[in-house]
Amino acid sequence: MPTTTRVSVKASFVYFVLGSALGALLLVNRWIPMWDGLFDLRDTHVVFVVDGWVTQLILGVGWWLLPPLQIGLKPGDSSWKRRGQTQRGSEPLFWAIIGLLNAGILLRSLCAPLFEWTDVRLFDVLAGIAPFLLLAAAVGFVVIMWGRVRELKRR
Amino acid sequence: MPRLARIFVKASFVYFVAALLLAALMALDGLAAGQWLRSTYLSQVHLLVVGWISQLIAGIAYWMFPRFLKEQNPQPRGSDRLAWLVILSLNVGLLLRFALEPFALMTGRPWLKALVALSGVLQVVGIAGFGVLIWGRVRTMEI
């Protein structure tokens, strides 16, 4: 399992635990109202679970397991040789994708409620940037992985 | 596929069908159970996201992630007891929420809300337990 995958998978587990803990807190708040502001964390709970856990896990495991790129094959070659990480695609680009995804998740999930609680305009602006970071991560992932969604011809 | 993984995966299949059955019923108008069905919306989303997607991921990860070496842990996939705790805690929490949340929303009774809150806590315990169970297996594979 490459380092890139290990980082994104472990990050996804952290989001899963935090996201579900937030969910439990919201349920407890429904029973024993602790603070009205907790309701503003509902979106945070959803973003942590859907983007932080499910999506990030899929990205990390897809990067690890999808068929490698067909690099180094010459016409008439009946076999291919593994060239390690390069056959997965550009590792720096994948790091950038994970960085954009996590930046988008954190900005969206933290700045939106912070704006509700403090009315500081900067948080609203940062929360507004988040969807574009997530979009950039999604586009980057599709670009980097498109060529790997292919038939794997065994020797 | 080891037995515990099969339990995760088959449970996720049951939730998949149950959640989509609920969604299909919600789409039908004029059913006598209409208000109850509408109250299950949040639970239905959790049946899909936690019961189906997350539990399927947990089962496949438990099956396929690199196993512990003998010197790291005599149980190659980690503690069976912890795995059982994860399965029970997660599923009891999910089913409790599904069974009680509609009535908690419709009636507002404090004891129902308390049990729904408990269902959330049980799910967190299961999920945190899964994190502990699988963390050490997120590693490179030594050959």
Side-chain angles (χ1 to χ4, degrees), chain B residues 23-35 37-38:
Chain B
L25 289 172
M26 275 184 214
L28 294 169
D29 285 327
L31 282 178
Q35 192 195 359
L37 265 178
R38 278 191 296 277

Side-chain angles (χ1 to χ4, degrees), chain B residues 12 17 21 27-28 35 56 68 93-94 98 103 127 135 140 143:
Chain B
S12 76
V17 171
L21 176 64
L28 294 169
Q35 192 195 359
L56 180 69
F68 290 117
L94 269 170
F98 176 68
F103 300 107
I127 288 162
W135 191 266
T140 51
I143 299 166

Side-chain angles (χ1 to χ4, degrees), chain B:
Chain B
M1 194 189 271
R3 185 169 165 232
L4 284 162
R6 294 200 304 270
I7 292 171
F8 274 118
V9 172
K10 286 188 173 180
S12 76
F13 289 170
V14 172
Y15 285 111
F16 187 32
V17 171
L20 294 185
L21 176 64
L22 265 176
L25 289 172
M26 275 184 214
L28 294 169
D29 285 327
L31 282 178
Q35 192 195 359
W36 175 82
L37 265 178
R38 278 191 296 277
S39 307
T40 63
Y41 175 68
L42 281 178
S43 306
Q44 188 243 353
V45 169
H46 283 83
L47 289 183
L48 264 178
V49 176
V50 183
W52 156 237
I53 294 171
S54 301
Q55 191 156 207
L56 180 69
I57 289 169
I60 301 298
Y62 178 79
W63 173 33
M64 296 204 76
F65 273 21
R67 280 170 272 181
F68 290 117
L69 302 170
K70 278 187 191 153
E71 47 270 25
Q72 289 174 311
N73 192 329
Q75 292 180 291
R77 288 189 168 93
S79 163
D80 280 358
R81 273 194 198 170
L82 182 54
W84 275 112
L85 174 71
V86 170
I87 289 171
L88 288 169
S89 194
L90 190 65
N91 286 282
V92 167
L94 269 170
L95 292 171
L96 197 64
R97 179 177 185 159
F98 176 68
L100 297 178
E101 188 172 33
F103 300 107
L105 289 170
M106 287 191 287
T107 65
R109 299 231 160 92
W111 66 271
L112 281 170
K113 288 183 183 180
L115 285 173
V116 173
L118 174 65
S119 77
V121 172
L122 284 172
Q123 288 174 68
V124 175
V125 167
I127 288 162
F130 174 70
V132 169
L133 184 68
I134 205 80
W135 191 266
R137 294 176 61 192
V138 181
R139 60 177 187 84
T140 51
M141 211 143 88
E142 282 101 24
I143 299 166

Side-chain angles (χ1 to χ4, degrees), chain A residues 28-42:
Chain A
V28 171
N29 188 57
R30 222 200 268 170
W31 164 45
I32 306 172
M34 293 177 277
W35 180 40
D36 286 342
L38 268 177
F39 191 74
D40 296 317
L41 290 175
R42 201 169 74 150

